[in-house]
Amino acid sequence: MDNEFKPDLITLIDEENIEHNFEILDTIENDKGVFYALYPVFDNAEEAVEDNGEYYIMEVVEEDGEEQLAEVDDEVLLDELSAVFERHFEELFDDFDEDEE
């Protein structure tokens, strides 16, 4: 039986047509929309070690009938989402630490 963890990955294309791979860490769906916490996936270990560990919060928006991801421009909303994601991460790691004991 294969119980191996496989992350949810997504590829985004920026304005310069460059692909960037991310792992979806968490999702929030509320009355303000659908939001993802994304962490970059690196091609080599050196890039991962040099990374500062920041994740990105993106909003699902509809454009021309298609769902796309966009940066959250509202600073107040971004702070609220960040607090919720951080609580989710803390709960996840607390549960993980308890499982190891």
Side-chain angles (χ1 to χ4, degrees):
M1 188 164 165
D2 184 13
N3 289 333
E4 183 178 328
F5 170 77
K6 294 182 181 156
D8 291 329
L9 301 177
I10 188 170
T11 300
L12 301 179
I13 301 172
D14 66 17
E15 300 85 22
E16 297 169 1
N17 241 11
I18 299 172
E19 291 185 354
H20 302 274
N21 296 312
F22 294 90
E23 177 181 353
I24 301 172
L25 298 177
D26 197 4
T27 305
I28 294 173
E29 186 171 349
N30 60 27
D31 60 341
K32 296 178 183 177
V34 177
F35 305 91
Y36 292 121
L38 303 176
Y39 187 75
V41 174
F42 300 100
D43 293 330
N44 66 54
E46 185 175 313
E47 287 178 331
V49 169
E50 292 174 1
D51 182 63
N52 60 12
E54 291 184 5
Y55 62 93
Y56 300 90
I57 298 175
M58 304 293 279
E59 177 179 13
V60 176
V61 295
E62 189 171 317
E63 190 172 301
D64 298 327
E66 291 186 27
E67 285 188 350
Q68 298 186 15
L69 295 180
E71 292 182 46
V72 178
D73 293 328
D74 181 335
E75 290 295 321
V76 173
L77 177 59
L78 189 59
D79 289 342
E80 291 172 12
L81 294 167
S82 184
V84 172
F85 280 127
E86 292 295 326
R87 276 197 308 274
H88 287 181
F89 299 151
E90 286 175 16
E91 291 169 3
L92 176 67
F93 287 112
D94 283 348
D95 288 345
F96 181 75
D97 290 341
E98 288 174 5
D99 290 343
E100 287 186 349
E101 292 177 4

